Amino acid sequence: MPILNVHAGPAARILIYSATAGYRHDSIPAATTALKSKGSSINVIFDATEDKTQFTVENLSRYDALLFLSTTGEVLDSSGKAALQTYLNLGGNFIGIHSASDTISNTTFYGHEVGAFFDYHPELQNAIVNVLDKTHPSTSIYNFKSDPRTIGATVILAADESSYTKGLVNMIKGLLILSLGINFMALV
């Protein structure tokens, strides 16, 4: 599926869906606000809802993409699932953030869309993260002109500065940003 080009032509319209029927993440309102505030600078109009009755073939056809934001549980009834499947079958774009993989988990087509369903969180602990595809652009390391932590960003991964060639820019070194196809940094 081609990547949505949000900078060319008229503004893209994306529906943020953040309904929950299981665990509810406290970050949902802040994430919705951040996305909406970023919209004009990336040529996107974000609408947001938690109303499953918005999932009709007619309504979903208005959107260039659907963004499931930390959804959990059975948040769509059978008619909503059918509308979502039709939207996807017609080439609609889908973005799943965080617990979107813990949503409508009894629905085969949705499982194929998210790749795999959430199982559980292990206890908080240190772990090694292996980069499986070192050629993928999301595995890039970024050096920044300032430390994003000074404005409230929580940095969760950092590269060992002694393990790579820094190049010319050498201020805040080695912060690793994982990208899921959209340019978005959440400040928490």
Side-chain angles (χ1 to χ4, degrees), residues 8-184:
R13 182 169 226 104
I14 298 177
L15 178 62
I16 300 169
Y17 188 55
S18 57
T20 57
Y23 183 82
R24 183 160 183 90
H25 292 86
D26 293 337
S27 61
I28 292 172
T32 301
T33 299
L35 287 165
K36 285 183 161 192
S37 68
K38 182 74 174 165
S40 63
S41 70
I42 60 171
N43 201 26
V44 174
I45 298 167
F46 287 103
D47 296 331
T49 189
E50 294 196 357
D51 180 3
K52 66 183 173 186
T53 66
Q54 295 295 306
F55 279 74
T56 65
V57 171
E58 181 181 347
N59 189 51
L60 296 183
S61 70
R62 300 173 40 226
Y63 293 97
D64 298 296
L66 305 178
L67 188 156
F68 277 37
L69 174 62
S70 297
T71 51
T72 59
E74 291 299 311
V75 294
L76 293 174
D77 57 20
S78 59
S79 63
K81 290 176 188 178
L84 175 59
Q85 185 169 20
T86 298
Y87 173 84
L88 295 171
N89 289 347
L90 292 173
N93 294 289
F94 176 83
I95 304 160
I97 295 179
H98 194 57
S99 60
S101 63
D102 190 24
T103 303
I104 56 175
S105 57
N106 65 351
T107 309
T108 303
F109 81 86
Y110 186 78
H112 291 175
E113 190 67 26
V114 296
F117 286 115
F118 172 81
D119 188 13
Y120 68 94
H121 281 293
E123 290 184 37
L124 226 41
Q125 59 192 294
N126 291 329
I128 295 171
V129 176
N130 297 313
V131 177
L132 302 179
D133 181 356
K134 294 178 182 177
T135 65
H136 194 279
S138 69
T139 60
S140 298
I141 295 174
Y142 292 82
N143 291 313
F144 292 93
K145 294 178 182 178
S146 62
D147 187 340
R149 292 171 285 201
T150 63
I151 60 168
T154 301
V155 176
I156 58 171
L157 298 172
D160 177 347
E161 294 177 36
S162 67
S163 69
Y164 69 97
T165 304
K166 296 172 187 82
L168 298 175
V169 179
N170 193 18
M171 295 182 120
I172 299 302
K173 304 160 249 156
L175 297 178
L176 178 66
I177 303 299
L178 298 178
S179 149
L180 299 175
I182 58 174
N183 292 320
F184 175 73

